[in-house]
Each structure stands twice: as structure tokens, then as C-alpha cells.
Amino acid sequence: MNRLKQNFTGIGLVKLLIYGFFLLFLIIPLVSVFLVSFTNEPINVFGSLVSWEQMQISIDQFKNATIDNFKSIFSYGSYFKGLINSLKLSLIVSLWVLVICIPIAYGIARTKMPFKKTISALCTIPLVIPTFISAYAFIIMFGRAGWVTYIYEKLGGEGMLLDPYSMTGIAIVQIFFFFPYALWPMVAAFKISDVSLEEASRNMGSKGWLTFITVTFPLAIPGMLSTALVIFAVSFSDFGTPIILAPSDLNLIVVDAYREIAGFFNWGGAAILTVIMIAVAGVVYWLQNYLLKGKNYDTLSGKPKKIKLSENKALTIPLAIFSGFVVLIPILAMGTVFLQSIATTWGKDPLPSGYTLEHYRTIFTSSLGNIQNSLILAAGALILSVIIATFVSYFVVRQRSTTLDFMTTVPLIVPGIAFGIALIQTFNTAPLQLTGTAFILVIAYSIRRLPYMVRSTVGTMKAIKQDIEEAAVNLGATTLTAAITVIGPLMLPGIAAGSILVFVTVIKETSISILMAPAEWAPMSLAIFQNVMRAEYYSAAAMSVILVVMVLVLQALANKLSGGNKS
């Protein structure tokens, strides 16, 4: 009885509303898409609850349920090829990212290599560039009319140095634009390992390279395993790169799922591919937690020794050159997109034939609506995320709500294209026919980015002492009033930092936008994608530069706020 009474207090009702939100827009869509994989047609879950006639239709659909879609995965058809190719691509990318990041991370963490601060700063650039823009940049660089191809042929080569429209092309784009996800955890791994073990190895006569192989490298392996799995998951769920570069004869699961739902309206095929994507991402997430859970990798005892950075030029100069080459590729890619945006024409030559700002003038006249749409949709998703995340962090910290904590981690597991398909199939019919509206788009954005906001607000919430809230309650305020008027203002630093992160990631969101955005609410990411598909490359380049500049400005603001919060 007391528990029932608690649920109908102000704060209890808020908690029930948040549970209802997750049930309606996350759990039911994911369950629904699983059911569709058996029925080959959408299940009107909500219609079945309010209409007996619809309930009968749904029952008849289940009578015709089949496991043919699951069989097709293992029948060595296109779905199976898509799964195998995607797994192969993700494995290749994760392994190569590790190979690239090990020397860079070691150089940043353990040496005084030249231009270390500059290289460290440049390593963050790939994080702010949407993947479909980086893929588009590689077309301008390495395509048949690309400037790299021109230079390659002038040096005596034949054809293209690299075919961007291939598995190799996709892998290289992902490697050079995903490596920062692995770099910084590996830098941390090299920094926290106990240097006294390395000193002991050297005192026993071991040379520098042998000490690295036998002591330093093994100590960083836990961090490497974790980051390799992160890269695997990011590569597997990446939609922006394959949708631009994958040729029609290359099956990749994210592209196949998009084509099934957007091109052929094959509900069953899209559903089974969605289930597979979620299953693979879930296994990777579980494996990452399993490998690190309960394991003891501690090497520090007492006060750690200060790391003595290596000044050996035979080591630091090659590391700087290698690191510079790696960060140069993304910089050249964005520089190429910028040149395309101000070019009058650019054929198979190293530089454009002329320069103009006309493409930007066109964007700010004919495509201003796309910029406004991006800002409005991101603002809507931000407001919803702030409200939900603030209360979720309160319930997680104050009431130890593990269920809500788990629900906010689910979007990290579900690939964007999979979540979009789940929402389309669930809200495609009355009484909740939301597919094709800005409302469901905002919902999708907010749920996808909610984990970032929750992590930011939970950290702030933990720092707020409970006696402040109790004092307000003792003075006559309800728990809900205390949470809003006392806790809320104290959480503003965490909310501010998380808000810009949500805003930035929503603006550059690709998979949800391309799959779900209606024409009248097309954001910048969808407009750029459509321009690339229509071969309107100059307009696509100009809007890409605007998008990246917006993201860079917001990212800089987020870094300033988070830096200010630390002090």
C-alpha cells in the first residue's frame, strides 16, 4: 500500500511517465521488429490494444508466422553475405586501428616527440566530421577525376591508386576517421601503467624495444582489447560510409537493411537484418564488459612514479612522422571538401580551375530551410533529453533504479539504422501513425543520444549531497519540488556539458535522418546525402563545410564548458 502511495506522489508519477516513455518508444519497437521478422509484415501493436478487429488481424498474422527469414541468413544468400562482409570489415578496421594507434598513443603518452601538442589536437578532428562527409571527401580525392588519381597517373601509375567504391575504400575511410575512438583510451593505458616495472626490466639489461614488447605492451593490453571492441561496434553500425561508397554488388548489412525498408518495403527482410544488427552489437557490448569485469589489472602500489618521457630522437622523430601522416589524411579530406565548395569547376586536375562563393550563396538562399530544420530538430531533441536525463539521473543515484540505468544504455547497443527501422515498423499505422513526422524524428534523436546526457548528469548528481534536498523537504517542499528547485539548478554544469554534446551529435546524425526524415523536415545531413546522390557535388561540399564548422564551434564550446566545470 505504501509503495502504491509512493507511485502517485509527484516524483512517483514522473518516474512512471519515464518508464512509459521508454516502454512506448524503445522496448515495444524493439520487440515489434523481432515479431515482424516472423510475420513478414508490420504488427499493429497499439491498434491491437484498442480494436478487437485489429487484434484478430494480428492473431491471423501470427498464425502465418515463419522462420524462413532466419533460415535465409544461413542459406549463403545476400543476407548471409552482408553479415559476413560486415563482420569482416569491422574486424579489419578494428585490427588496423590498433596497429595505427599503438605508436601514436605511445608517442603522446611516453615521449617528447616533436609537435606532440599539435598532433594531439589534430587527432580530434575526425571525431567532428560526419562519416558520410569523409566518405564523400575520399571520392573527390581518389575517384576517377580525383586529384590524388591525377598525381598518381602523372607519376606513372595506371587507373586509380585506390578505388573508393570498394570494401578497401570503406575500410580505409573508417580506419582514418575512427582511430581517435581508440587512441585516447590507449594513451591513458600507457600513462597509468607502472613505470617501475619497465625500469626493473632495463636495470636487468633489457634493451628499450625488448622492454616495450615484454613489459609496456602487455600492461596496455586490457585497454587495447576494450578499444578494439569499441571500434568493431562503431564500424559494424556505421551507416554513413557504406551508404556513400558501397557498390551495388557489395552486400553490407546496414546498407541491405536500408535498401530493404526504403527501396523494396520488404518488412520481413528489414526486420531480420535489424534483429541481427542488434544481436551482434549486443554480443560485442557483453563481451567488452565480460573481458573487463572482475579482472584485476592493477600494477600500481602506493604513490606512482612520475613517468620520464623519452627524448631519444631515433624514436621520437619516426613516431612524429608516422603520427603526422595519419592525421594528415583527415585534414586533406576536409581541405578537399572545402576546395570543392569554392570551386567554379574541378575536373581531373590537382586544383580547381577557378574559385567562387556562389555555392555558399545558393545554400543560404535555397537550402536555408535545411539548416533551420537541423537546428530546430536538434533543439527539440535536446530539450527532451535534458528533461528525461535529469530525472533519470536522480532516480539512478537517489533511488538506485538499475532498470532505468539499463534502459538508458540500450540505445548504445542498438545501431541507428536498426532503431530507425524498428520505429518505422511500429508507428506506421493508426492509432499511433507517427512515421514521417517531425515528432518521431525528435523522439528517435533524443533516445539515440540520451546515454551521453545521462552519463553527464549522473556524474554531477553524485556530487550533490542528499542533505541539501532533505533540508528543502523538511521545510515543507515535496520531493518533486525539491528535485526541480534545488537539485535542478545544482545540476546545470553537467546539463550544460551534456547538452552541447547531444546537440552536436544530433546535428551530424546520419542513419536516422536519411531513413526517417520527411521532406519538409529534411536536416542538413539528409540534404547533403541527397545532393551527393544527385551528383550535385559543389552544393554538397558547401553544406558539408557549414555543417562541420557548426559542429566544430559547438564542440569547442562544449570543451570550454567541461573545462570550466573541472575547475
Side-chain angles (χ1 to χ4, degrees), residues 85 94 123 265 289 419 434 446 556:
N85 286 338
S94 56
C123 282
F265 295 100
N289 289 333
F419 184 54
L434 302 175
S446 60

Side-chain angles (χ1 to χ4, degrees), residues 78-98:
S78 60
Y79 291 173
F80 183 80
K81 290 178 183 176
L83 174 60
I84 296 301
N85 286 338
S86 294
L87 293 173
K88 189 188 300 182
L89 173 67
S90 302
L91 182 62
I92 291 170
V93 170
S94 56
L95 291 176
W96 272 105
V97 164
L98 281 184

Side-chain angles (χ1 to χ4, degrees), residues 68-76 79-80 83 272-273 276:
D68 288 346
N69 286 321
F70 288 89
K71 288 180 179 177
S72 67
I73 293 299
F74 303 101
S75 63
Y76 299 95
Y79 291 173
F80 183 80
L83 174 60
I272 189 61
L273 292 173
I276 293 167

Side-chain angles (χ1 to χ4, degrees), residues 136-173:
Y136 164 56
F138 265 59
I139 294 174
I140 307 174
M141 294 170 67
F142 295 95
R144 295 190 183 281
W147 62 267
V148 174
T149 304
Y150 173 86
I151 295 172
Y152 177 65
E153 290 181 347
K154 286 295 181 181
L155 293 174
E158 294 184 5
M160 295 181 289
L161 174 65
L162 164 69
D163 183 5
Y165 299 102
S166 64
M167 176 81 89
T168 303
I170 295 169
I172 290 176
V173 171

Side-chain angles (χ1 to χ4, degrees), residues 26-193:
L26 180 62
I27 305 303
I28 289 178
L30 294 180
V31 172
S32 178
V33 80
F34 178 72
L35 298 177
V36 172
S37 66
F38 293 97
T39 62
N40 280 326
E41 52 186 336
I43 302 294
N44 191 346
V45 177
F46 303 109
S48 301
L49 298 176
V50 298
S51 168
W52 176 252
E53 183 180 350
Q54 183 58 52
M55 175 69 79
Q56 287 296 119
I57 294 173
S58 298
I59 291 172
D60 291 337
Q61 286 177 313
F62 281 112
K63 287 180 181 177
N64 299 321
T66 175
I67 60 171
D68 288 346
N69 286 321
F70 288 89
K71 288 180 179 177
S72 67
I73 293 299
F74 303 101
S75 63
Y76 299 95
S78 60
Y79 291 173
F80 183 80
K81 290 178 183 176
L83 174 60
I84 296 301
N85 286 338
S86 294
L87 293 173
K88 189 188 300 182
L89 173 67
S90 302
L91 182 62
I92 291 170
V93 170
S94 56
L95 291 176
W96 272 105
V97 164
L98 281 184
V99 171
I100 284 176
C101 285
I102 288 170
I104 303 177
Y106 185 80
I108 293 173
R110 293 299 191 86
T111 73
K112 290 185 177 181
M113 70 177 181
F115 309 107
K116 185 166 79 170
K117 289 186 178 178
T118 303
I119 290 169
S120 298
L122 293 177
C123 282
T124 62
I125 288 179
L127 293 176
V128 301
I129 301 175
T131 53
F132 69 95
I133 293 179
S134 56
Y136 164 56
F138 265 59
I139 294 174
I140 307 174
M141 294 170 67
F142 295 95
R144 295 190 183 281
W147 62 267
V148 174
T149 304
Y150 173 86
I151 295 172
Y152 177 65
E153 290 181 347
K154 286 295 181 181
L155 293 174
E158 294 184 5
M160 295 181 289
L161 174 65
L162 164 69
D163 183 5
Y165 299 102
S166 64
M167 176 81 89
T168 303
I170 295 169
I172 290 176
V173 171
Q174 290 187 347
I175 288 166
F176 281 100
F177 284 85
F178 289 166
F179 80 87
Y181 289 104
L183 177 64
W184 300 114
M186 289 174 65
V187 168
F190 279 124
K191 281 184 176 179
I192 64 172
S193 57

Side-chain angles (χ1 to χ4, degrees), residues 533-549:
M533 292 295 101
R534 292 194 297 257
E536 297 175 4
Y537 296 125
Y538 298 101
S539 298
M543 191 172 287
S544 297
V545 171
I546 294 170
L547 178 59
V548 171
V549 168

Side-chain angles (χ1 to χ4, degrees), residues 98-358:
L98 281 184
V99 171
I100 284 176
C101 285
I102 288 170
I104 303 177
Y106 185 80
I108 293 173
R110 293 299 191 86
T111 73
K112 290 185 177 181
M113 70 177 181
F115 309 107
K116 185 166 79 170
K117 289 186 178 178
T118 303
I119 290 169
S120 298
L122 293 177
C123 282
T124 62
I125 288 179
L127 293 176
V128 301
I129 301 175
T131 53
F132 69 95
I133 293 179
S134 56
Y136 164 56
F138 265 59
I139 294 174
I140 307 174
M141 294 170 67
F142 295 95
R144 295 190 183 281
W147 62 267
V148 174
T149 304
Y150 173 86
I151 295 172
Y152 177 65
E153 290 181 347
K154 286 295 181 181
L155 293 174
E158 294 184 5
M160 295 181 289
L161 174 65
L162 164 69
D163 183 5
Y165 299 102
S166 64
M167 176 81 89
T168 303
I170 295 169
I172 290 176
V173 171
Q174 290 187 347
I175 288 166
F176 281 100
F177 284 85
F178 289 166
F179 80 87
Y181 289 104
L183 177 64
W184 300 114
M186 289 174 65
V187 168
F190 279 124
K191 281 184 176 179
I192 64 172
S193 57
D194 192 354
V195 293
S196 62
L197 297 176
E198 298 173 32
E199 290 177 359
S201 174
R202 282 191 288 268
N203 290 337
M204 294 178 71
S206 177
K207 294 185 181 295
W209 61 269
L210 187 59
T211 298
F212 175 82
I213 293 172
T214 58
V215 179
T216 310
F217 183 77
L219 290 176
I221 284 178
M224 292 178 192
L225 285 174
S226 178
T227 53
L229 289 169
V230 169
I231 296 298
F232 186 96
V234 171
S235 172
F236 185 82
S237 60
D238 176 39
F239 178 73
T241 311
I243 197 63
I244 297 293
L245 297 181
S248 57
D249 59 345
L250 175 61
N251 293 101
L252 290 171
I253 196 165
V254 288
V255 178
D256 289 344
Y258 171 76
R259 289 169 180 165
E260 292 291 356
I261 193 70
F264 309 120
F265 295 100
N266 180 1
W267 300 104
I272 189 61
L273 292 173
T274 300
V275 170
I276 293 167
M277 281 188 282
I278 295 172
V280 171
V283 168
V284 172
Y285 184 81
W286 169 83
L287 188 59
Q288 183 184 12
N289 289 333
Y290 175 79
L291 287 174
L292 298 179
K293 186 178 180 181
K295 303 293 190 299
N296 182 13
Y297 297 113
D298 298 340
T299 60
L300 297 176
S301 57
K303 187 177 179 180
K305 289 187 177 183
K306 186 176 180 180
I307 297 175
K308 184 180 179 180
L309 301 179
S310 174
E311 298 183 32
N312 184 357
K313 290 186 177 181
L315 173 66
T316 58
I317 291 177
L319 285 176
I321 293 172
F322 177 79
S323 303
F325 169 77
V326 171
V327 299
L328 181 64
I329 301 299
I331 293 170
L332 284 176
M334 268 321 299
T336 300
V337 173
F338 174 71
L339 278 180
Q340 178 100 34
S341 73
I342 59 172
T344 51
T345 56
W346 195 0
K348 198 171 183 179
D349 294 300
L351 291 172
S353 56
Y355 301 94
T356 178
L357 294 176
E358 188 62 34

